[in-house]
Amino acid sequence: MDSTNVVNKSAPQAKPHFDDIFMDLAVNLAKRSHCIKAQVGAVLTRDTRIISIGYNGPPAGTHNCDEEFPEVGCPRDSKGSCSLALHAEQNAILYAAKNGSEIEGSTIYVTLSPCIACARIIYSMKIARVIYLHSYAEYKGIASDEGVDFLRRFGVTVERYVSGGSTTLLSEPPMSMQTR
């Protein structure tokens, strides 16, 4: 029998949900981070289109923590957080705003739920929906997700990511239990 005439009759593979696609991209973007303490990724979307992407790290053109401070990471501020980095959400939102993208009503996918500072920015930019993979409170060892609580209090839809079933997302929480 000529194998060129054989048709594969197996069932068509299910198409991935956009939530799965965007969260998978956020997980991969986190791997771009030069931070040696934690790696976080974000994808800002409208409907089924990507508006902007981001990952945590210092402003472009300044330095890379893993190169300049390879042993200990960058200097810490008075709260123990990185004194030089922008969070993934901040990078995605700032890039979108810089390029004139319509942010109001959008959705942001992040690998770590927003801290309170990022939550205030998300709310101020009128982002309608936040989907997160890992809990900031669990990561930091604190009682509650203050950023999530803040956003929900003021009407922003916040959901913990659950796979749509068409994909298996492999991700570990951000690296250390220190700060991002």
Side-chain angles (χ1 to χ4, degrees):
M1 180 162 119
D2 185 344
S3 64
T4 59
N5 293 329
V6 176
V7 177
N8 183 352
K9 296 201 182 219
S10 62
Q13 192 168 18
K15 293 188 184 332
H17 296 262
F18 280 104
D19 284 353
D20 295 330
I21 292 168
F22 297 140
M23 188 57 76
D24 186 52
L25 178 55
V27 167
N28 279 300
L29 285 166
K31 297 172 188 173
R32 294 284 311 155
S33 173
H34 288 277
C35 182
I36 68 168
K37 303 280 185 185
Q39 296 178 322
V40 182
V43 178
L44 185 63
T45 69
R46 172 177 300 292
D47 303 318
T48 60
R49 303 290 182 214
I50 296 170
I51 298 171
S52 183
I53 60 174
Y55 50 88
N56 63 315
T62 59
H63 70 277
N64 291 323
C65 298
D66 58 348
E67 295 167 2
E68 192 168 333
F69 311 103
E71 301 299 319
V72 297
C74 60
R76 307 275 104 189
D77 65 17
S78 62
K79 294 181 181 178
S81 296
C82 176
S83 63
L84 303 173
L86 295 168
H87 288 190
E89 306 94 315
Q90 294 169 336
N91 268 322
I93 293 166
L94 286 168
Y95 187 81
K98 177 181 171 183
N99 288 294
S101 297
E102 179 63 38
I103 298 171
E104 186 173 342
S106 63
T107 296
I108 191 163
Y109 295 81
V110 291
T111 58
L112 189 62
S113 61
C115 68
I116 189 67
C118 287
R120 288 189 293 257
I121 293 169
I122 288 166
Y123 176 77
S124 296
M125 296 303 292
K126 297 184 177 8
I127 293 172
R129 183 173 174 231
V130 176
I131 310 296
Y132 69 92
L133 181 59
H134 299 292
S135 164
Y136 185 79
E138 292 168 11
Y139 165 70
K140 295 291 279 184
I142 56 178
S144 71
D145 270 309
E146 297 170 315
V148 170
D149 296 342
F150 173 88
L151 291 166
R152 286 182 176 150
R153 178 177 178 205
F154 294 103
V156 176
T157 300
V158 182
E159 305 165 29
R160 190 157 191 172
Y161 171 78
V162 177
S163 173
S166 60
T167 189
T168 302
L169 185 65
L170 301 176
S171 172
E172 294 296 321
M175 296 172 349
S176 76
M177 291 302 288
Q178 294 178 18
T179 59
R180 75 171 166 148

